[in-house]
Amino acid sequence: MRDPYELLGVGRTATQSEIKTAYRKLARTLHPDLNPNDPKAEDRFKEVSAAYELLSDDDKRKRFDRGEIDAEGHERRRAHTGQRRSSGFGGGGFGGAGFGGRTNNNRGQNTWWFEDLLNDEDDSPFAAGRGPGGRQHTSPKRGTDTRYPVTVSFEDAAMGCSRQITLSGGKTVSVKVPPASETGKILRLKGMGAPGMHGGPDGDALVEVTVSPHGVFRREGVDVVADIPVSLTEAVLGAKITVPTVDGKVTVTVPEGSNTGTTLRLRGKGIPRDGKPESGRGDQLCKLKIVLDDPADPKLKSMVSKLHHEGGSSGVIAALRAKLGLD
């Protein structure tokens, strides 16, 4: 695998916040859910996720920076060749090998290499929890959480659905998006994040939901509001029309004499309360909006202008009814 810093597009001095921001930006672009049937994007997503898993873990990141592990987290062998020379404190001294020196090529139980004293704090044999020989006694550490985006339609968010996501390790799992979900909702998959350290528990996978905007529906609490276009004839004379709902299409009656802003209430066609359909649902509010078939029609303009001067808006409606033979 390539250098994790290069994969995420950050420098080696980047903060955890900068690393997280870079990862989330790339994940939103490369996630398999957003790139179906694109194996290159999926492979790139796996690489980016693996890079974030390594760099988001402070311990792994330090070990990578020191060259102790490779970009995939595998141990690198540290070779020592040849006879080490004494540091110049004499043949006796501390432990019979001289301070920081050796009498042979083997690391003694109670002595250290001189370069050990120059390592950073976490690698030093004098660091907390370490004794002679550089042995470390660390406490278990929980793995980091990993984030995955999932996008659903307005209808699926309202009534609930299932989606497949691919984790950073390549495993595909099914995620249940509950009813009444909104953009920003976080679904937690226990133990499916980065692995723990030193026997610690694994982190979680956090699935962040985004609801796609809808051309007709919008949500107001547990109610669904829909702007429904009707013709002038339908508004004036009344009619039966078909409207969409989150459950599918239904037929409603437009009352005679309706106007833009007239609201028709469809009870029980809204969002499940508390995310549970058995707890009841809100309503769908159909707000009518009069749309002229051809606003530039000269005959319509002339007729409405004439009727307006003769009897106002009520005269327009009466004349339309008479013209259509309804009176």
Side-chain angles (χ1 to χ4, degrees), residues 34-314:
L34 305 178
N35 299 276
N37 304 318
D38 187 348
K40 290 185 178 180
E42 182 174 353
D43 291 342
R44 180 101 166 90
F45 173 75
K46 291 177 181 178
E47 282 189 322
V48 167
S49 297
Y52 176 68
E53 180 180 333
L54 188 147
L55 296 183
S56 63
D57 186 302
D58 288 335
D59 184 61
K60 286 184 179 179
R61 182 182 179 183
K62 288 178 181 178
R63 298 192 67 205
F64 174 76
D65 289 343
R66 292 195 297 264
E68 295 177 3
I69 58 175
D70 60 20
E72 297 180 354
H74 299 148
E75 295 284 344
R76 283 178 172 161
R77 288 193 175 186
R78 185 175 177 182
H80 297 286
T81 59
Q83 182 78 16
R84 295 284 180 134
R85 187 174 63 183
S86 171
S87 61
F89 285 90
F94 299 87
F99 186 78
R102 285 276 161 63
T103 56
N104 54 49
N105 291 331
N106 297 320
R107 182 175 290 230
Q109 179 69 19
N110 296 312
T111 57
W112 300 280
W113 289 110
F114 181 77
E115 67 268 20
D116 287 337
L117 305 180
L118 303 180
N119 286 338
D120 62 23
E121 186 178 65
D122 288 340
D123 195 41
S124 168
F126 296 109
R130 293 197 181 191
R135 294 188 178 184
Q136 185 176 18
H137 305 284
T138 56
S139 58
K141 182 179 179 182
R142 181 182 180 277
T144 56
D145 294 336
T146 52
R147 288 180 172 264
Y148 303 89
V150 63
T151 301
V152 297
S153 67
F154 185 96
E155 295 91 336
D156 285 341
M159 303 307 298
C161 63
S162 294
R163 287 290 183 271
Q164 300 285 331
I165 66 168
T166 302
L167 302 178
S168 58
K171 180 181 179 181
T172 299
V173 297
S174 180
V175 178
K176 289 186 177 181
V177 179
S181 291
E182 297 185 78
T183 292
K185 183 176 183 62
I186 300 295
L187 309 176
R188 184 179 294 272
L189 306 180
K190 290 286 188 181
M192 293 191 180
M197 298 289 291
H198 311 297
D202 294 342
D204 300 334
L206 306 180
V207 181
E208 184 173 357
V209 177
T210 297
V211 181
S212 298
H214 197 279
V216 176
F217 301 136
R218 62 182 183 275
R219 180 174 173 177
E220 292 184 0
V222 294
D223 292 334
V224 174
V225 180
D227 294 321
I228 305 298
V230 294
S231 69
L232 179 61
T233 302
E234 290 170 335
V236 172
L237 306 179
K240 289 186 179 295
I241 62 172
T242 300
V243 300
T245 73
V246 294
D247 299 309
K249 295 181 178 180
V250 299
T251 299
V252 299
T253 299
V254 177
E256 179 181 326
S258 294
N259 201 348
T260 291
T262 298
T263 300
L264 310 180
R265 183 180 293 270
L266 305 182
R267 298 193 179 278
K269 291 295 185 181
I271 307 295
R273 301 180 188 278
D274 302 321
K276 301 175 182 178
E278 62 271 19
S279 298
R281 294 169 57 180
D283 303 332
Q284 176 167 318
L285 307 178
C286 298
K287 293 185 178 292
L288 302 185
K289 181 180 181 181
I290 296 177
V291 177
L292 300 178
D293 293 332
D294 183 7
D297 184 350
K299 292 182 179 180
L300 175 63
K301 183 177 179 180
S302 175
M303 181 184 69
V304 172
S305 178
K306 179 180 179 180
L307 293 174
H308 174 70
H309 289 297
E310 291 179 357
S313 58
S314 59

